[in-house]
Amino acid sequence: MLIKNRHTQFQLTLPEWLGQYIQDQDPIMPDMEKRMQFVISLARLNIEHNSGGPFGAAVFDMSANRLIAAGVNLVVTGNSSVWHAEIVAMILAQQAIGHFNFKKQDAPACELVTSTEPCAMCMGAIPWAGITQLVCGARDKDARGIGFDEGAKVKHWQKALRKRNITVIRDVCRDQAVQVLELYNQHNGMIYNG
C-alpha cells in the first residue's frame, strides 16, 4: 500500500531565545568545564522558556575550542521523537561545516559536549557523525532517576566508543547537570518516553 505524504520537507524551528543566547556568548571556550556549563545553561533555559526537555548539547572545534553549533531538546515542541539536544547540535554543526561527517573533508576534529550522557539513539549517531570526543555531565542513571527511558545501550558503551577512537569523558560538572534534571522534575516537566 502506498501512503501519500503531503510533506516533502521538514523544518527544524529553534526556540527564539536560543539564537540570542548563543550570540551573547564568547564562541571560544578553552576550558572543558566552561563548555559544560554552557550546555547546562542551555538545558536550564530550555526549561525556563518552556521550549523543551532538560537537555542541552553543543559541538566544538577541538583545535580552537570554538563553538560550531548548539542544540536543545525539542521533542515535544517540535513533535519529533528524534529532536534530542545532541541530534539537533550535530545536525546544525554538519550544516555549518557543509558535510555529514566531521572526519571528512577539511572538517576539524569535533567534540560533542552534552548535559547528560546520550540515550541509545544519540549514542548511535555519535560515531556516524564523526565525533572525536564525547564529554558528559549527568549520567544515564540520573535521567532515568526522574523517569526518562534512555533505551538499551551497549553494556560497556564507553569502551565501545573508545574502540572507534572516540574519547569519552564523564561527570564534568555532574552536580550542576543533575540539578537541571531535578529542576525539570520539580516543574512537572513532561516525561515523554517514560
Side-chain angles (χ1 to χ4, degrees):
M1 170 190 271
L2 177 65
I3 300 173
K4 286 193 168 191
N5 187 347
R6 62 183 173 89
H7 301 285
T8 58
Q9 62 181 342
F10 66 87
Q11 180 177 350
L12 171 60
T13 303
L14 299 172
E16 288 183 25
W17 64 265
L18 182 60
Q20 185 61 53
Y21 182 75
I22 291 170
Q23 192 172 22
D24 291 344
Q25 305 303 307
D26 184 347
I28 308 297
M29 299 181 202
D31 182 79
M32 184 179 296
E33 285 190 4
K34 182 169 175 57
R35 294 191 298 274
M36 180 57 72
Q37 289 167 353
F38 170 72
V39 300
I40 290 170
S41 68
L42 294 176
R44 182 178 294 107
L45 288 166
N46 210 32
I47 297 167
E48 291 173 4
H49 288 276
N50 200 30
S51 49
F55 306 102
V59 176
F60 291 88
D61 170 344
M62 289 179 67
S63 64
N65 294 313
R66 182 181 56 81
L67 176 65
I68 299 173
V72 292
N73 178 283
L74 301 171
V75 169
V76 175
T77 56
N79 291 316
S80 176
S81 61
V82 301
W83 289 136
H84 291 200
E86 299 93 335
I87 299 296
V88 172
M90 287 188 285
I91 288 171
L92 294 172
Q94 290 165 340
Q95 296 299 301
I97 68 164
H99 202 275
F100 60 87
N101 189 315
F102 299 121
K103 290 185 177 179
K104 302 294 182 189
Q105 306 289 325
D106 295 327
C110 289
E111 171 187 71
L112 175 64
V113 180
T114 183
S115 63
T116 302
E117 291 176 349
C119 69
M121 176 187 69
C122 295
M123 193 67 64
I126 289 168
W128 301 127
I131 293 294
T132 300
Q133 180 165 282
L134 171 65
V135 180
C136 308
R139 289 195 175 199
D140 176 281
K141 71 179 183 178
D142 301 323
R144 289 180 193 275
I146 67 164
F148 281 100
D149 178 355
E150 296 297 277
K153 292 191 261 190
V154 175
K155 187 173 183 178
H156 300 288
W157 62 267
Q158 304 98 323
K159 187 183 281 187
L161 289 179
R162 284 189 210 109
K163 283 183 180 179
R164 290 177 171 263
N165 297 316
I166 300 169
T167 302
V168 177
I169 301 170
R170 300 170 76 193
D171 299 333
V172 177
C173 303
R174 181 178 179 193
D175 290 341
Q176 293 172 30
V178 170
Q179 287 173 4
V180 173
L181 294 172
E182 291 170 353
L183 176 67
Y184 187 72
N185 198 33
Q186 292 164 6
H187 283 231
N188 295 315
M190 180 186 288
I191 306 297
Y192 48 82
N193 69 347

